[in-house]
Amino acid sequence: MSAALAEPRAGTAAAAAPPVIELRGVTKTYGSGAAAVHALRGIDLRIDAGEFVAVMGPSGSGKSTCMNIVGCLDVPSAGAYRFDGVDVGGLSRRQRALLRRNFLGFVFQGYNLLNRTTALENVELPLVYRGLRPRDRHPRALRALATVGLEAWANHTPGELSGGQQQRVAIARAIVTEPRLLLADEPTGNLDTERSREILVLLSRLNRERGLTIVMVTHDVEVASWARRIVRFLDGRIREDVPNPRFEEHRGEEPVRQ
């Protein structure tokens, strides 16, 4: 793994820092000949550190394919992807897996928690993969649960938690490694209005207070209104990339409750 991803660059001016995500001319084609499906048709996208970006678009627009490439779950057919200044196209499969493990956090619509393990054990899982001993990973996992307001629920299994609480455990698991980028795929898709608001308050707070870079995929205009910037996909292309005029509406929202 390149040294550029090893540690934050101490003493480097913020203006000189590379974007967290930089896509140039990215295409993705599945199949060939008459059966070819052109999922992405030349994507240019830059996301800097500390941004909160909502990605929108109808099914088949290319947004999910693009996010899979950003998350190092897929590779482009052509074009370039740089993560924090590192050419991802030049990395091996193993190096891309290490990039995902060490620098990316993922939150999914379906929570993806292990049902027979406690909230604490679920949050610890990425630290287990990193080889941390229990005495080192327990305090970090508890701090992550405290960040999402669930330290009192550390010993409860997912079946003992509400949907909103399960998603907050999933967010704690995603941030326990202190990632450079959080990718949230329809994080409120399974939640009612109030529980959705709790998750969005939490994501907004992580962005404002910690400077965590967040890319959130959503179909919901109201959910997207929490982001600082909105990128809309259509037919494999970015059709709109604009600041969100409604972002300031949500400043000062109440913190997540237990």
Side-chain angles (χ1 to χ4, degrees):
M1 184 71 65
S2 168
L5 290 176
E7 295 291 342
R9 288 165 294 279
T12 303
V20 175
I21 296 169
E22 186 175 21
L23 303 178
R24 291 187 177 180
V26 167
T27 68
K28 183 65 180 181
T29 302
Y30 298 99
S32 60
V37 175
H38 302 286
L40 295 178
R41 300 171 179 266
I43 297 297
D44 295 321
L45 178 65
R46 174 183 175 127
I47 297 176
D48 290 313
E51 290 201 80
F52 186 175
V53 178
V55 175
M56 305 188 72
S59 297
S61 63
K63 67 182 185 303
S64 294
T65 299
C66 186
M67 291 305 99
N68 285 340
I69 289 172
V70 168
C72 297
L73 300 171
D74 202 351
V75 294
S77 300
Y81 170 30
R82 299 183 73 84
F83 179 87
D84 205 26
V86 172
D87 180 9
V88 177
L91 301 180
S92 67
R93 182 189 296 268
R94 179 177 179 276
Q95 288 174 321
R96 291 197 303 273
L98 288 173
L99 190 155
R100 286 196 303 273
R101 187 180 77 182
N102 294 329
F103 302 103
L104 300 178
F106 294 88
V107 178
F108 303 98
Q109 178 176 343
Y111 321 138
N112 290 10
L113 301 178
L114 300 179
N115 291 328
R116 297 185 179 181
T117 59
T118 65
L120 179 64
E121 291 166 335
N122 270 284
V123 175
E124 284 184 318
L125 195 57
L127 304 178
V128 173
Y129 293 149
R130 285 191 174 189
L132 271 67
R133 294 172 294 182
R135 70 181 186 186
D136 296 321
R137 64 178 187 254
H138 287 347
R140 289 183 60 173
L142 285 171
R143 286 195 298 271
L145 282 171
T147 297
V148 302
L150 288 178
E151 65 270 34
W153 296 82
N155 294 318
H156 290 252
T157 62
E160 298 170 321
L161 303 175
S162 69
Q165 288 173 325
Q166 289 184 60
Q167 191 63 295
R168 283 151 60 189
V169 171
I171 292 172
R173 181 183 57 190
I175 66 173
V176 73
T177 58
E178 300 181 358
R180 300 280 178 90
L181 172 68
L182 180 67
L183 290 172
D185 187 3
E186 298 283 1
T188 65
N190 286 345
L191 304 176
D192 62 25
T193 300
E194 183 60 23
R195 301 293 86 73
S196 294
R197 190 195 69 84
E198 290 178 359
I199 295 304
L200 292 166
V201 168
L202 175 57
L203 293 177
S204 180
R205 182 159 56 86
L206 289 170
N207 173 253
R208 292 179 189 272
E209 297 179 5
R210 294 194 175 194
L212 179 61
T213 307
I214 300 174
V215 176
M216 177 177 65
V217 176
T218 182
H219 285 91
D220 191 323
V221 173
E222 289 303 312
V223 171
S225 73
W226 289 73
R228 297 170 183 262
R229 173 179 160 203
I230 299 176
V231 176
R232 288 186 171 88
F233 279 72
L234 184 66
D235 297 331
R237 295 183 172 91
I238 292 177
R239 293 301 187 184
E240 187 177 49
D241 184 349
V242 295
N244 174 26
R246 296 184 58 191
F247 172 70
E248 292 299 328
E249 289 180 14
H250 303 292
R251 183 177 293 276
E253 291 273 0
E254 295 178 3
V256 175
R257 66 173 185 266
Q258 290 196 20

